[in-house]
Amino acid sequence: MSLAQRVWRAHSIRAKLLALALLPLFLVLPVSIAVLVVFGGNSYDRLLTVKVQSDLAVAHSYFERVKEALGRGIEALANSAQLERAHARRSRGDGAVLASLLRDATRDLGLDFLNLYGADGRLIASSSARAPQVMLDWKVTRDARSGKAATAIDIFSAQDLAQFDAALAERALTPFIATENATPTDRAAESRGMVIHAAAPLRDETGAVRAVVVGGSLLNKNLDFVDGLNEIVYPEGALPFGSQGTATLFLDDVRVATNVRLFEGARAIGTRVSQAVRQAVLGEGRTWLDSAFVVNDWYVSAYEPVIDGEGRRVGMLYVGYLEKPFRLVKQTTLAIIVGVFLLAMGCATLISLHWARGIFRPIERMHGTMSAAEGGDDRARVGVVPQGDEIGELAAHLDRLLDRLQAQKLALRQWGEELDQRVAERTRELAQALDDLRSTQRQLVISEKLAAVGQLTAGMAHEINNPIAVIQGNIEVLADILGTNAEPVREEIRLIRGQVHRIRLIVTKLLQFARPAEFAGYLQSVDARQMVQDSLVLVGHQTKKSGVVVVEQYRATRAVTINPSELQQVLINLMVNAVQAMPQGGTLTLSTEDWCEDGQPVGVCIGVADSGAGIAPEVLAHIFNPFFTTKKADGTGLGLWVSLGLVERYGGRISAHSTPGAGATFTVWLLHEPRIQE
């Protein structure tokens, strides 16, 4: 059964009925509200974006018409008979008429400069007192000299503007105003000018270009241009909810002509666009359509790049309108819709609760009656239920069943009490007999095995002692014969003597195993590290044969008092078992630690750990039992049992820990001063 099923079954019928009644309300309606809020809000935002996109298209068209109008005006002037006659009079030495004509055309076309250059590029006449004596090299002038009229947006340096009129350079100079999120720059002002630049050829009778008319209008701080643009895109009453439209012309990322206000009516000329917009429009050439923080408020904004005559992105054209009124309308509309939904949910909830109450009250009465009956109240009944439907019939049927159950319960109670008494008596007798039988069986098995070992031990003692005496005698003879030549193997000879002595003690311990009362041994203070290292020498051939790597970690600082041969027997047994647990090689970790309890030194812990397959939990519980072994071929099941007996005789213990697949660790706990147990 899943968790959801258990939780559902654990709840009361009231909760289930309420859940069934209210789930559609509290699930479907909130989901509907969420869908409406998300998709409605997104759709509303898309409409605002589409609106500003169309506004940008209108602004773009207006900008292009302004450029085309200026270009057509200059081209018309170049093709006019009036200019032809004025140019002819200038050839006869009368240049005043030509200069006057250029000044009138400058005023009529709304230009900031208008010049006439010869085919060789030298100045013939100008609308101003000062003008470049040589025609500047722009794409529009190159096209005009080749016979083609052209109009483009060009960026004039401050020096270029000053050649036409010093006032133009002064008008173009725009100090930067610190703007949040703008691209960092070391410049303090923009001195360049964005100019609508046009040129048209003046032809002679043969059609050859004999002069070029060049004119332009500076857009920096051209408030008539930007206000006219804003009036075309956002005429009065075009935006609902009190929103305001704005238009801006950027040179690079600096506002050079705008009707966006900073404070007290001051225009935001000199502020800069954010780094994100600059990268998208000027860096990548994309049109930006999104909400943007413009100077001091959020606007639904559209930006497009302005391209100069050489095809470079040199500025941006912007239109946008204040977002706040639209955002308030959207939030108010969504709030009204959510409020209507919540009101509908509240009314539907009250109606559902009223209907559900008529169902779960009788059911709760039946549930309470059944709970009381289960609790031992034989007189609990549902009683009359006002509803005459299936629930009322179910309540009456339940009462009849409870009446019948009460009668049967009385009959069974007496018989059950008598039967329980007899079963309890028989069970106690059987359990006691079974415990006695198991105890006797265990004692018989162990006694029988120990008796067999005792008989074998008595015969083995004589047979083993004879070859041991021969080995010991020959070792002594060998040492005498070699004399000083035996010095390189003196340690090995010492170990052989010790092991011969240990074999004698093992035989004695085997006899002690059969006759514990005859135990007699000696104790001495030993260093745990030395005992581990001596034992490791004796199993070294097995570790090398199995490819086992030995890791030694000795941290114990105290000695223990024990029979050294018995301790060595225990350690060798644990080391051999560990090596045998790693037939394919592994790591044998030998360690010593000080054993402290409550901050006081108690003894020493000696650890023997392998990296083998580990010991299963069901096997780990029996490894210290006599004759228990997993080595079916050559194991006796006495090694760990005898080792445990030796350690416990001195008041210590052996603990084993293993995680299957991660090896096993045996720890020998030895007291500094042993407590001999007979």
Side-chain angles (χ1 to χ4, degrees):
M1 185 184 300
S2 67
L3 177 61
Q5 290 174 326
R6 291 197 299 269
V7 172
W8 175 255
R9 295 183 66 175
H11 282 77
S12 66
I13 190 65
R14 176 195 291 266
K16 293 178 181 178
L17 287 174
L18 290 177
L20 292 174
L22 300 179
L23 183 62
L25 296 175
F26 288 92
L27 180 62
V28 176
L29 288 181
V31 170
S32 302
I33 293 175
V35 171
L36 178 62
V37 170
V38 173
F39 287 96
N42 291 340
S43 299
Y44 191 82
D45 293 339
R46 284 196 296 271
L47 288 175
L48 296 181
T49 303
V50 171
K51 159 67 177 167
V52 79
Q53 186 176 17
S54 66
D55 296 341
L56 181 61
V58 174
H60 177 82
S61 298
Y62 175 77
F63 193 25
E64 292 298 322
R65 285 200 303 272
V66 170
K67 291 194 298 183
E68 292 172 3
L70 189 147
R72 286 195 301 268
I74 290 181
E75 185 177 7
L77 176 64
N79 294 329
S80 67
Q82 189 177 11
L83 180 62
E84 176 68 24
R85 289 192 299 270
H87 184 267
R89 293 182 64 176
R90 189 236 177 230
S91 300
R92 294 192 296 271
D94 184 5
V97 175
L98 181 58
S100 176
L101 176 63
L102 292 179
R103 285 194 295 272
D104 293 341
T106 299
R107 182 182 64 255
D108 295 339
L109 295 176
L111 302 176
D112 289 307
F113 64 87
L114 182 61
N115 301 320
L116 181 65
Y117 291 92
D120 58 356
R122 296 187 176 277
L123 180 67
I124 296 175
S126 174
S127 63
S128 62
R130 54 187 297 181
Q133 296 302 307
V134 179
M135 184 168 49
L136 300 181
D137 186 24
W138 296 98
K139 185 177 185 304
V140 293
T141 58
R142 292 196 300 271
D143 289 346
R145 295 178 71 174
S146 66
K148 178 182 176 182
T151 305
I153 297 294
D154 283 321
I155 306 301
F156 282 49
S157 66
Q159 293 79 9
D160 292 341
L161 291 172
Q163 292 184 66
F164 291 102
D165 191 341
L168 293 180
E170 182 179 352
R171 181 174 134 200
L173 182 62
T174 304
F176 289 170
I177 298 176
T179 308
E180 187 177 358
N181 298 326
T183 303
T185 181
D186 295 332
R187 300 169 60 204
E190 177 60 76
S191 61
R192 297 175 298 166
M194 178 179 286
V195 178
I196 300 179
H197 197 193
L202 177 64
R203 303 177 185 274
D204 59 14
E205 295 80 3
T206 65
V209 177
R210 60 179 176 181
V212 174
V213 180
V214 180
S217 178
L218 179 64
L219 296 178
N220 294 49
K221 301 177 185 176
N222 193 330
L223 304 183
D224 293 337
F225 166 76
V226 75
D227 289 343
L229 173 62
N230 188 73
E231 182 62 26
I232 292 295
V233 178
Y234 299 112
E236 186 176 354
L239 293 172
F241 314 126
S243 181
Q244 297 178 356
T246 57
T248 299
L249 187 65
F250 289 85
L251 173 53
D252 196 22
D253 64 347
V254 183
R255 290 179 176 86
V256 295
T258 182
N259 60 354
V260 177
R261 299 304 198 268
L262 272 174
F263 51 85
E264 297 180 355
R267 298 183 185 245
I269 294 176
T271 58
R272 303 169 62 213
V273 79
S274 67
Q275 187 171 4
V277 175
R278 186 186 194 283
Q279 175 61 28
V281 180
L282 295 179
E284 303 173 13
R286 295 189 290 110
T287 298
W288 172 282
L289 298 171
D290 202 348
S291 293
F293 191 80
V294 178
V295 181
N296 53 17
D297 210 338
W298 285 95
Y299 286 76
V300 181
S301 304
Y303 297 81
E304 72 171 13
V306 174
I307 309 300
D308 70 356
E310 303 292 341
R312 296 169 297 195
R313 294 187 287 271
V314 296
M316 294 180 286
L317 178 63
Y318 158 83
V319 291
Y321 50 88
L322 197 60
E323 181 184 16
K324 183 177 180 180
F326 292 92
R327 185 169 63 248
L328 291 176
V329 170
K330 181 178 74 171
Q331 293 173 350
T332 303
T333 303
L334 292 177
I336 293 173
I337 294 174
V338 171
V340 171
F341 269 98
L342 293 177
L343 180 61
M345 287 176 58
C347 295
T349 300
L350 293 176
I351 295 173
S352 299
L353 290 176
H354 177 72
W355 286 348
R357 188 179 297 112
I359 299 175
F360 62 67
R361 278 185 175 177
I363 295 177
E364 286 181 342
R365 286 176 57 184
M366 288 186 284
H367 179 266
T369 300
M370 289 186 289
S371 299
E374 289 179 354
D377 187 359
D378 296 336
R379 294 174 297 178
R381 298 294 183 272
V382 178
V384 179
V385 176
Q387 287 85 346
D389 53 11
E390 291 85 350
I391 295 179
E393 294 178 2
L394 180 61
H397 183 62
L398 178 60
D399 284 345
R400 290 194 296 270
L401 288 177
L402 290 174
D403 292 337
R404 187 179 303 173
L405 180 62
Q406 182 180 8
Q408 294 176 351
K409 186 177 180 181
L410 291 174
L412 291 172
R413 184 176 298 170
Q414 295 179 350
W415 180 82
E417 291 176 354
E418 181 180 353
L419 180 61
D420 289 344
Q421 184 177 1
R422 293 181 181 179
V423 170
E425 293 176 358
R426 297 290 188 230
T427 302
R428 285 194 296 271
E429 294 174 359
L430 181 60
Q432 183 62 40
L434 184 59
D435 290 342
D436 294 343
L437 178 61
R438 288 176 177 172
S439 177
T440 303
Q441 184 180 13
R442 285 195 297 269
Q443 293 177 0
L444 287 174
V445 170
I446 293 175
S447 298
E448 186 174 332
K449 289 183 177 181
L450 292 178
V453 171
Q455 293 175 0
L456 290 173
T457 300
M460 292 172 55
H462 178 73
E463 297 298 330
I464 293 176
N465 281 332
N466 287 337
I468 288 302
V470 174
I471 293 173
Q472 187 172 10
N474 286 324
I475 285 296
E476 298 299 335
V477 171
L478 184 63
D480 291 340
I481 293 175
L482 292 176
T484 57
N485 293 329
E487 192 64 31
V489 292
R490 182 172 302 280
E491 180 63 21
E492 284 75 7
I493 294 174
R494 184 188 68 81
L495 291 175
I496 293 174
R497 288 171 175 167
Q499 293 310 304
V500 169
H501 179 65
R502 180 170 172 269
I503 293 173
R504 291 184 180 276
L505 291 179
I506 290 173
V507 173
T508 303
K509 297 309 175 186
L510 288 175
L511 291 174
Q512 174 193 343
F513 170 67
R515 300 185 293 275
E518 300 177 7
F519 166 76
Y522 65 93
L523 304 177
Q524 71 180 59
S525 178
V526 298
D527 178 56
R529 173 175 181 169
Q530 186 63 45
M531 292 301 299
V532 173
Q533 291 178 333
D534 289 348
S535 303
L536 181 60
V537 172
L538 299 177
V539 299
H541 67 287
Q542 294 194 30
T543 60
K544 294 178 182 177
K545 180 180 179 181
S546 301
V548 173
V549 177
V550 179
V551 176
E552 300 177 71
Q553 301 172 349
Y554 304 119
R555 291 183 285 270
T557 60
R558 295 175 175 270
V560 294
T561 301
I562 197 172
N563 186 297
S565 297
E566 292 181 342
L567 177 56
Q568 193 172 54
Q569 177 182 348
V570 172
L571 295 178
I572 290 176
N573 184 35
L574 295 178
M575 291 180 188
V576 170
N577 287 346
V579 173
Q580 291 176 350
M582 299 180 289
Q584 304 301 323
T587 301
L588 174 63
T589 303
L590 304 175
S591 62
T592 63
E593 297 278 354
D594 287 332
W595 173 16
C596 297
E597 291 182 357
D598 298 328
Q600 299 297 322
V602 175
V604 172
C605 302
I606 302 175
V608 179
D610 64 73
S611 60
I615 305 172
E618 60 273 14
V619 175
L620 191 64
H622 301 286
I623 58 175
F624 291 106
N625 295 343
F627 304 106
F628 179 84
T629 180
T630 57
K631 306 172 186 176
K632 302 303 181 183
D634 54 1
T636 64
L638 293 175
L640 289 177
W641 179 68
V642 171
S643 298
L644 178 63
L646 292 174
V647 174
E648 287 181 341
R649 182 176 293 126
Y650 299 100
R653 68 178 189 274
I654 301 178
S655 61
H657 172 74
S658 175
T659 300
T665 300
F666 286 81
T667 304
V668 181
W669 305 76
L670 301 173
L671 297 171
H672 291 310
E673 297 297 331
R675 295 192 290 267
I676 304 298
Q677 300 178 9
E678 298 296 339

